């Protein structure tokens, strides 16, 4: 993960340097910016919010800043997906990848936080089985240490923030130069239909193979739908997608916890029964969440994409 982060950081900084040099060469002939469409304005607003949050030196804790920044990035990415038809394949792929990489640079702190929260929730729910275990206490201490190291990586002035800022400035500069959508309503309809269709397909794959990977890929598309609905002010759809996304997110958090339990199995080496109990409790909770997600997903994705879009966007 660290190697991937450093690679993304180096690429982002190089890209920004090229953008800066190109901007310097063109200063002699300034051009007035093209008029922006509503979707462009909304995208740039979310990028500006994310940039301001990462540059902020206020009293807010770093983990809160990172959380709000990642939400702004998800909104921006959903808006880029809505404009996919107008942007074209190459431009869409470039901006989507840049926003994805910026989010990945900030994801480590979030993952470390939710894994610890998931363990704490299990301990609180099953105190007789877990709270008195020295091995569980050692596991928790290691996860807390991982969280603190991840937080340090995303602190103000840290490499993760620098890399994310580089990506966001580059995306914003390119979007400033982009031509506005000629048929914005048609663009939004096509984008929403594609986002919904991709979510339906991911749900079908999760039904066939309901493992952690398939569910996580489905969750990404559900999140796209949730943030697209927010930007388009489709409140009932936003709430339904948010509920499903939270269910899938909780399942994913427990999947991450299961991985950490396997990685740190030496913590419970002398407590075989406790380790089996912990693994069983995680698996049981994940199974309940999977069943709930598939029920909720059946309701949300029951319509064909064209009919769904007409229902959402036509008066």
């Amino acid at each position: 993960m660290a190697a991937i982060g450093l690679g993304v950081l180096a690429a982002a900084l190089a890209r920004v340097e090229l953008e800066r040099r190109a901007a310097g060469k063109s200063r002699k002939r300034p051009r007035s910016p093209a008029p922006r469409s509503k979707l462009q304005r909304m995208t740039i607003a979310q990028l500006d919010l994310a940039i301001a949050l990462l540059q902020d030196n206020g009293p807010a804790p770093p983990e809160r800043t990172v959380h709000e920044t990642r939400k702004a990035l998800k909104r921006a990415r959903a808006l880029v997906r809505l404009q996919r038809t107008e942007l074209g394949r190459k431009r869409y792929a470039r901006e989507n990848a840049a926003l994805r990489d910026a989010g990945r640079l900030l994801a480590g702190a979030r993952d470390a936080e939710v894994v610890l929260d998931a363990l704490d929730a299990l301990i609180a729910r099953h105190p007789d089985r877990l709270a008195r275990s020295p091995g569980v206490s050692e596991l928790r201490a290691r996860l807390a240490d991982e969280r603190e190291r991840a937080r340090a990586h995303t602190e103000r002035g840290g490499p993760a923030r620098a890399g994310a800022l580089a990506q966001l400035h580059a995306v914003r500069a390119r979007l400033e130069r982009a031509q506005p959508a000629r048929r914005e309503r048609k663009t939004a309809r096509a984008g929403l239909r594609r986002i919904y269709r991709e979510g339906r397909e991911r749900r079908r794959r999760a039904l066939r193979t309901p493992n952690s990977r398939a569910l996580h890929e489905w969750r990404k598309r559900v999140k796209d739908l949730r943030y697209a609905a927010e930007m388009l002010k489709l409140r009932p759809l936003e709430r339904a997608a948010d509920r499903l996304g939270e269910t899938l997110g909780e399942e994913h958090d427990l999947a991450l916890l299961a991985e950490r339990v396997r990685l740190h199995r030496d913590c419970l080496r002398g407590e075989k029964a406790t380790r089996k109990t912990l693994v069983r409790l995680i698996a049981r909770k994940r199974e309940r969440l999977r069943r709930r997600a598939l029920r909720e997903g059946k309701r949300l994705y029951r319509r064909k994409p064209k009919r769904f879009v007409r229902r959402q966007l036509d008066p």
Side-chain angles (χ1 to χ4, degrees):
M1 182 68 185
I4 293 174
L6 291 175
V8 171
L9 172 58
L13 293 175
R15 189 179 296 112
V16 169
E17 178 61 18
L18 290 174
E19 294 273 350
R20 185 188 66 77
R21 291 178 182 179
K25 291 177 181 179
S26 62
R27 281 175 188 164
K28 294 180 179 179
R29 293 188 300 167
R31 293 183 300 174
S32 57
R36 300 176 190 163
S37 68
K38 183 178 180 181
L39 290 175
Q40 283 177 312
R41 291 196 302 270
M42 293 167 71
T43 309
I44 289 173
Q46 292 303 315
L47 293 174
D48 286 342
L49 174 59
I51 290 169
L53 285 165
L54 290 177
Q55 292 176 333
D56 181 43
N57 293 316
E63 58 271 20
R64 183 65 184 173
T65 298
V66 169
H67 176 68
E68 293 301 324
T69 301
R70 293 183 75 241
K71 286 170 62 177
L73 285 176
K74 289 174 183 176
R75 295 189 194 100
R77 198 172 174 191
L79 285 161
V80 166
R81 284 181 177 274
L82 282 173
Q83 299 169 78
R84 184 171 178 173
T85 301
E86 195 69 28
L87 288 171
R89 181 179 298 178
K90 290 184 178 179
R91 187 183 298 172
Y92 163 77
R94 180 178 60 186
E95 309 309 353
N96 184 58
L99 293 173
R100 178 200 62 208
D101 290 344
R104 284 178 176 175
L105 286 168
L106 303 173
R110 184 267 179 195
D111 289 347
E113 188 80 35
V114 299
V115 166
L116 185 58
D117 289 345
L119 179 60
D120 284 343
L122 281 175
I123 294 171
R125 195 175 299 120
H126 306 281
D128 294 340
R129 299 183 184 185
L130 302 177
R132 300 187 183 92
S133 165
V136 171
S137 297
E138 173 62 21
L139 173 63
R140 191 191 183 284
R142 290 194 190 183
L143 295 181
D145 183 59
E146 289 179 0
R147 179 189 63 183
E148 294 310 309
R149 292 200 303 271
R151 282 180 175 178
H153 192 64
T154 57
E155 285 181 350
R156 298 176 184 90
R161 287 205 188 194
L165 276 169
Q167 293 281 27
L168 298 183
H169 280 299
V171 173
R172 193 191 190 287
R174 289 192 294 266
L175 289 180
E176 282 276 11
R177 297 192 296 270
Q179 293 297 315
R182 295 183 297 274
R183 298 162 295 179
E184 187 169 11
R185 181 175 177 82
K186 186 175 181 180
T187 296
R189 291 176 70 90
L192 184 62
R193 184 168 63 250
R194 181 180 290 108
I195 289 171
Y196 185 76
R197 184 176 64 245
E198 290 173 351
R200 287 185 97 220
E201 175 57 30
R202 292 296 181 179
R203 175 182 172 271
R204 283 195 290 268
R205 294 185 191 181
L207 276 169
R208 291 194 298 267
T209 312
N211 56 32
S212 179
R213 181 181 180 86
L215 289 166
H216 185 50
E217 291 301 317
W218 182 25
R219 176 179 176 248
K220 292 177 185 178
R221 305 290 76 84
V222 173
K223 285 290 186 180
D224 289 339
L225 183 63
R226 177 252 189 269
Y227 285 108
E230 179 185 352
M231 293 295 94
L232 295 173
K233 301 187 184 305
L234 305 172
R235 300 308 183 199
L237 175 60
E238 177 192 347
R239 289 192 292 269
D242 187 47
R243 284 194 300 270
L244 177 55
E246 288 299 310
T247 301
L248 290 167
E250 190 176 351
E251 195 281 336
H252 180 63
D253 297 345
L254 287 166
L256 293 177
L257 176 58
E259 290 178 4
R260 306 315 287 171
V261 172
R262 286 192 293 272
L263 180 65
H264 298 301
R265 56 184 175 275
D266 59 301
C267 292
L268 293 155
R269 183 173 296 163
E271 300 179 63
K272 188 175 181 180
T274 302
R275 183 178 181 278
K276 285 185 176 180
T277 297
L278 179 57
V279 170
R280 186 171 61 251
L281 289 172
I282 293 172
R284 192 177 297 167
K285 179 65 172 175
R286 289 180 65 194
E287 178 59 29
R288 288 197 295 268
L289 290 165
R290 282 195 290 266
R291 289 198 298 266
R292 185 199 304 171
L294 291 172
R295 287 196 305 270
E296 293 174 351
K298 184 178 181 179
R299 290 193 295 270
L300 180 58
Y301 289 100
R302 67 185 182 274
R303 292 186 173 87
K304 292 184 177 181
K306 285 186 178 180
R307 185 176 180 185
F308 166 81
V309 170
R310 285 199 301 269
R311 184 179 179 88
Q312 294 295 328
L313 297 181
D314 292 343

